[in-house]
Amino acid sequence: DKLKAHAAGETYVNKPNPYKRAPVRKRARAPPRRKAPVKNTGGLRLGSRVWAFGKRGTITELPGDNGWWRVQLDGENGTRGARIGSMRALGGAAVPPPPPSS
């Protein structure tokens, strides 16, 4: 088509592809909703002993805006992130689950 138009001395006009989908306009996204900080911490604070991931541990960092607590598990070198719902306070606040029977 382009060569034929050029040979005939005409100006080639690119025609829209009838099979191509129309571009989708993106709507502006609303800012993400942030959950309110957890107010009921179950008595947990920096240095509290907890039961998490099936082991005893100590809280080393408090949660920031993301809600993740940092826990140093006994017998491990690094820290792990845990949510408030996956930890239980030790020392009378909550009883840890019994160890699995062998």
Side-chain angles (χ1 to χ4, degrees):
D1 289 338
K2 195 172 189 179
L3 290 175
K4 290 179 187 175
H6 183 67
E10 299 173 0
T11 305
Y12 177 77
V13 178
N14 193 10
K15 298 175 187 172
N17 185 348
Y19 302 105
K20 186 176 180 181
R21 294 186 348 180
V24 178
R25 291 186 180 182
K26 294 184 178 180
R27 295 187 312 172
R29 286 188 173 187
R33 289 185 177 182
R34 293 194 178 228
K35 292 183 180 179
V38 177
K39 294 184 181 173
N40 183 12
T41 60
L44 296 178
R45 57 183 177 270
L46 195 61
S48 294
R49 298 288 294 158
V50 294
W51 182 265
F53 305 107
K55 295 183 179 180
R56 294 174 186 264
T58 306
I59 294 178
T60 58
E61 285 182 44
L62 300 177
D65 292 337
N66 58 9
W68 287 94
W69 298 66
R70 299 303 296 177
V71 179
Q72 169 80 41
L73 298 176
D74 294 350
E76 293 189 10
N77 293 332
T79 60
R80 293 176 71 176
R83 296 271 188 190
I84 188 83
S86 63
M87 297 186 292
R88 292 189 189 152
L90 295 178
V95 178
S101 50
S102 306

